[in-house]
Amino acid sequence: MSVHIEAKKGDIAETVLLPGDPMRAKWIAETFLENPVCYNDVRGMLGFTGTYNGKRISVQGTGMGIPSALIYAHELINDYGVKNLIRVGSAGSYQKEVKIRDIVIAMAASTNSGLNTIRFNGADFAPTASFELFQKAIEVAKEKGIPLKAGNILSSDEFYADEFESYKKWAAYGVLCVEMETNGLYTVAAKHKVNALSILTISDSLVTKERTTADEREQTFKEMIEIALELA
Ligand code: ADE
């Protein structure tokens, strides 16, 4: 076992879907995977391995924010040999054209987190998606007729910003939406030469102040998971 995951070596597949919410991990495993087996319950951060169309795939909750997500990404890569990390999460829209229920792929992830300036001694690093997974996701979405948007996103350290309007600066530079993990995930994947991709559904809009209902979230979540599972 690793520090935060009680799985044995070989229990976790090379491709892992990463929702923030551990109960989402359970729902994904029970809804989409055949013969899912739970390999982790440490801190309630559930992880499962099963098969999808005959291919082995795992799904692991990460918690919210870069520090929590990176604990799981680091251990999955270093202790369990994971090669493809696919975040499936929600995000808040920063643009009028990015509507609630849209699916957004993060080509790159900006951040207000201090983590990378610590890592790079005050300099910036521009973390990007795996080109291979990105290209494949575009193909799968096209085949399934699921519309996608793609571009730069913000991984924020705060859900409740002190100044609500501060999002407008990011929006002016074309950032599509905000979530809290991708910048860290792409950075760690780059360091260890593995693939990472974030697929996000828009759950709320900072522009229009709309929010999806629980039913709407489930439906768009399904489309996003269908794309992610095909990347295994
Ligand atoms: N995830 C979903 N909506 C969000 C928001 N408004 N801010 C940060 N993360 C989010």
Side-chain angles (χ1 to χ4, degrees):
M1 77 174 276
S2 61
V3 179
H4 299 89
I5 303 175
E6 62 192 341
K8 294 191 296 298
K9 284 233 181 303
D11 282 352
I12 304 180
E14 276 203 348
T15 299
V16 182
L17 267 52
L18 301 168
D21 178 355
M23 292 312 287
R24 275 283 179 198
K26 185 169 190 279
W27 178 80
I28 293 166
E30 289 173 353
T31 308
F32 296 93
L33 301 186
E34 279 156 38
N35 307 315
V37 174
C38 180
Y39 62 72
N40 191 54
D41 193 18
V42 176
R43 292 177 182 245
M45 203 57 81
L46 299 169
F48 299 82
T49 298
T51 57
Y52 179 77
N53 287 342
K55 280 180 262 173
R56 228 168 144 250
I57 193 154
S58 297
V59 49
Q60 170 69 54
T62 65
M64 286 179 280
I66 293 175
S68 180
L70 288 199
I71 286 173
Y72 295 97
H74 179 98
E75 293 180 22
L76 288 170
I77 297 165
N78 289 288
D79 296 287
Y80 296 99
V82 170
K83 301 288 184 226
N84 301 306
L85 297 104
I86 303 162
R87 169 163 154 69
V88 283
S90 60
S93 171
Y94 274 4
Q95 305 285 344
K96 201 158 50 65
E97 316 74 67
V98 179
K99 305 202 183 311
I100 57 166
R101 297 187 296 276
D102 278 358
I103 299 179
V104 173
I105 301 214
M107 295 171 74
S110 305
T111 193
N112 55 16
S113 159
L115 234 133
N116 271 353
T117 41
I118 296 168
R119 205 180 271 262
F120 291 94
N121 292 323
D124 281 336
F125 173 72
T128 57
S130 145
F131 179 63
E132 195 185 321
L133 290 181
F134 176 72
Q135 211 173 19
K136 213 164 162 188
I138 303 291
E139 280 166 24
V140 170
K142 207 175 243 177
E143 270 165 33
K144 291 183 179 290
I146 300 171
L148 288 182
K149 293 193 166 79
N152 196 358
I153 68 152
L154 175 70
S155 300
S156 178
D157 259 1
E158 52 183 9
F159 187 87
Y160 297 108
D162 197 25
E163 289 176 38
F164 183 76
E165 298 289 297
S166 61
Y167 89 88
K168 288 188 174 168
K169 171 71 102 177
W170 297 101
Y173 280 72
V175 169
L176 299 180
C177 59
V178 58
E179 48 83 92
M180 302 182 76
E181 293 83 16
T182 299
N183 173 276
L185 179 66
Y186 285 3
T187 301
V188 162
K191 175 173 179 180
H192 296 287
K193 299 185 173 52
V194 298
N195 300 310
L197 187 73
S198 277
I199 311 177
L200 307 164
T201 62
I202 301 298
S203 58
D204 56 287
S205 169
L206 281 86
V207 185
T208 65
K209 322 283 187 280
E210 291 168 283
R211 269 190 180 279
T212 46
T213 63
D215 279 354
E216 287 171 334
R217 275 199 295 278
E218 182 160 326
Q219 183 50 39
T220 40
F221 221 83
K222 272 189 177 150
E223 291 183 341
M224 173 174 70
I225 302 299
E226 282 169 18
I227 299 171
L229 286 168
E230 294 293 342
L231 304 183

